[in-house]
């Protein structure tokens, strides 16, 4: 009789350790920093296309892309399945040359607002592994500190594909994500679940 009680208690305690960390109704707030975003790549391709179409009459140099900083709120609509809304900010700079003479210095600011979903295929109390998708809209602001007028910024649709995300910790945890989009190829941060 005592052996059954001991075995039952042991199994109950062990099963508590494998309970889902993302039970329906769980919320998560995270702060993120990422690098090598889809916005970086879009600017690079635009510059290459412009140089090619103008015979290098217009060219850009010294392109510097800063990290992408973000804030995300996630909510578990079902066990292991979270939906989220996020906002990200990124800056870039580059110099414009006309006929190999520096003409303008552009400073870009990007604000991205996205909606998406993550699925936790491993969801332990202290470790989670997940993948996800998001769609977003990015607005662009351009400041020219050179000779010409500042061009009007444009907005465009954006996305994020997280191939693999890892969260380590309980309520307060660190995480890393690998994928591609407005958050970057790689991004890391801190999250708090409640």
């Amino acid at each position: 009789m005592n052996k059954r009680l001991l075995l039952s208690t042991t199994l109950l305690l062990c099963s508590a350790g494998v309970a889902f960390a993302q039970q329906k109704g769980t919320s998560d707030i995270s702060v993120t920093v990422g690098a090598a975003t889809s916005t970086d790549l879009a600017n690079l391709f635009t510059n290459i296309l412009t140089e090619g179409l103008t015979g290098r009459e217009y060219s850009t140099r010294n392109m510097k892309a800063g990290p992408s900083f973000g804030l995300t709120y996630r909510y578990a609509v079902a066990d292991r399945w979270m939906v989220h809304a996020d906002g990200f900010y990124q800056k870039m700079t580059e110099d414009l040359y006309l006929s190999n003479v520096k003409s303008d210095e552009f400073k870009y600011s990007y604000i991205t607002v996205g909606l998406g979903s993550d699925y936790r295929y491993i969801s332990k109390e202290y470790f989670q592994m997940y993948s996800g998708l998001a769609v977003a809209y990015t607005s662009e602001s351009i400041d020219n500190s050179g000779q010409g007028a500042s061009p009007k910024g444009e907005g465009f649709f954006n996305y994020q594909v997280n191939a693999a995300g890892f969260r380590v910790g309980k309520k307060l945890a660190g995480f890393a994500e690998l994928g591609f989009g407005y958050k970057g190829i790689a991004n890391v941060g801190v999250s708090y679940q409640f």
Side-chain angles (χ1 to χ4, degrees):
M1 185 75 86
N2 287 337
K3 288 181 182 179
R4 285 187 184 172
L5 181 61
L6 181 61
L7 180 62
S8 297
T9 305
T10 303
L11 289 174
L12 181 64
L13 290 174
C14 289
S15 66
V18 293
F20 294 135
Q22 269 63 58
Q23 292 180 342
K24 183 176 179 178
T26 301
S27 290
D28 179 301
I29 294 177
S30 60
V31 178
T32 308
V33 62
T37 67
S38 56
T39 308
D40 300 353
L41 188 61
N43 271 10
L44 181 62
F45 281 142
T46 300
N47 293 344
I48 291 170
L49 186 61
T50 301
E51 287 181 21
L53 292 175
T54 65
R56 295 190 55 87
E57 179 72 24
Y58 293 90
S59 63
T60 55
R61 299 179 194 163
N62 306 319
M63 181 179 157
K64 294 177 185 161
S68 177
F69 297 100
L71 180 66
T72 302
Y73 172 76
R74 289 181 171 89
Y75 180 78
V77 293
D79 290 348
R80 298 180 180 238
W81 181 32
M82 299 189 94
V83 295
H84 68 266
D86 54 23
F88 279 78
Y89 177 76
Q90 184 179 17
K91 282 188 151 191
M92 288 185 209
T93 60
E94 66 184 3
D95 299 329
L96 176 65
Y97 284 75
L98 299 174
S99 302
N100 283 328
V101 176
K102 184 176 175 180
S103 135
D104 296 297
E105 298 174 11
F106 293 119
K107 294 179 182 176
Y108 301 90
S109 295
Y110 298 97
I111 296 175
T112 302
V113 177
L115 297 171
S117 178
D118 294 331
Y119 181 75
R120 314 289 188 187
Y121 41 90
I122 297 176
S123 184
K124 305 292 184 186
E125 188 174 8
Y126 289 98
F127 178 77
Q128 297 149 34
M129 191 169 173
Y130 57 94
S131 295
L133 296 170
V135 294
Y137 185 79
T138 300
S139 64
E140 175 186 58
S141 174
I142 306 171
D143 181 33
N144 183 4
S145 57
Q147 302 169 11
S150 294
K152 183 181 178 188
E154 297 181 1
F156 52 93
F157 288 100
N158 217 327
Y159 63 93
Q160 178 69 34
V161 176
N162 282 334
F166 308 91
R167 185 181 188 276
V168 179
K170 196 171 179 180
K171 285 188 174 280
L172 184 63
F175 68 91
E177 296 174 343
L178 302 171
F180 188 72
Y182 60 87
K183 294 181 184 181
I185 289 176
N187 64 82
V188 295
V190 177
S191 79
Y192 180 74
Q193 289 185 345
F194 53 97

